[in-house]
Amino acid sequence: VNDFDKNAKTNPNIVFAGRLHQSKGIDVLIKAFNILHIEYPTLTLEIIGDGALRPELEKIPLDSAKKRVIFRGKVLKGEVLKSFCESLCVVIPSTAEAFGFTVIESMSMKACTIGANNTGIMEIIQDGISGLLFETGDEEDLARKIEVIYRDENLRNYLSQGGYKRFQDHYSTQVAIKRDFNFFQKLLC
């Protein structure tokens, strides 16, 4: 059992990191968490980031899950990455995302990653290989995907390793520098 598995069992946090804005789909994540919390009361939803939407998000009606939704506000990048490492999964529920830096950061930390099946997110996550995709805006589908990750440790490990491999192969600094250098080299006359 690696450190990821130990943390996922003893610290079953679902993590979101980003600005608290309507386009980020955080309301969908909170509603999915509320569905899950009934059967899995030890789960915690950790929301990292801040924004104008926070007061509205804090008012979303929750059953018994209210005390298990933690708004951390802004934290240092190192703390965000540590939360990713220690999480059950990282969720990116955005309704639209030009390029998913949070997806890549999550994968770089070997965190199991779940994202909405749209724009930049679905270009990075290969569904069932390097993470899971859920139907954008569908809290029930998201709840089912999180439940699968929670219940199936082998799948969680497979996806976290697949995400890390995808990060290494396509988004690591060495790969990005070489790719960008080759691109600009072709533009020179």
Side-chain angles (χ1 to χ4, degrees):
V1 176
N2 63 34
D3 287 339
F4 172 76
D5 296 328
K6 290 179 200 169
N7 287 326
K9 288 179 185 172
T10 60
N11 186 28
N13 283 0
I14 300 161
V15 176
F16 166 87
R19 65 190 166 94
L20 306 186
H21 184 270
Q22 191 66 40
S23 68
K24 297 299 182 179
I26 309 152
D27 57 328
V28 173
L29 174 55
I30 292 171
K31 291 171 186 173
F33 179 75
N34 194 47
I35 293 167
L36 284 169
H37 193 262
I38 295 164
E39 190 167 343
Y40 306 102
T42 61
L43 286 174
T44 299
L45 174 57
E46 182 180 351
I47 299 173
I48 300 171
D50 224 338
L53 195 62
R54 182 172 176 167
E56 187 178 322
L57 293 171
E58 290 177 329
K59 292 179 185 173
I60 292 175
L62 299 173
D63 299 326
S64 62
K66 186 89 172 162
K67 293 179 182 175
R68 304 295 291 190
V69 177
I70 300 164
F71 286 85
R72 290 190 57 200
K74 290 182 181 180
V75 299
L76 298 173
K77 178 62 84 176
E79 290 181 53
V80 173
L81 298 177
K82 183 177 184 219
S83 287
F84 286 177
C85 283
E86 296 175 349
S87 70
L88 172 71
C89 64
V90 175
V91 178
I92 300 91
S94 301
T95 56
E97 196 72 54
F99 187 77
F101 284 108
T102 306
V103 177
I104 294 167
E105 289 172 338
S106 173
M107 290 176 166
S108 76
M109 295 289 101
K110 297 183 183 177
C112 188
T113 308
I114 300 173
N117 64 347
N118 65 63
T119 57
I121 297 169
M122 64 187 261
E123 291 178 20
I124 300 169
I125 296 175
Q126 300 161 297
D127 192 33
I129 298 170
S130 61
L132 292 178
L133 294 171
F134 73 96
E135 189 63 38
T136 304
D138 186 341
E139 65 259 17
E140 290 180 7
D141 189 34
L142 176 54
R144 283 190 296 272
K145 299 295 168 76
I146 296 170
E147 181 178 29
V148 165
I149 294 303
Y150 184 72
R151 294 174 62 96
D152 191 339
E153 183 179 324
N154 291 329
L155 177 63
R156 188 171 63 240
N157 288 332
Y158 174 78
L159 295 173
S160 66
Q161 292 303 319
Y164 184 66
K165 181 173 181 352
R166 180 125 173 103
F167 162 75
Q168 286 182 311
D169 292 349
H170 297 280
Y171 303 105
S172 68
T173 304
Q174 294 147 330
V175 171
I177 290 171
K178 185 176 181 180
R179 179 188 60 232
D180 292 350
F181 177 80
N182 290 337
F183 172 77
F184 290 116
Q185 193 72 23
K186 289 177 186 175
L187 294 177
L188 294 174
C189 297

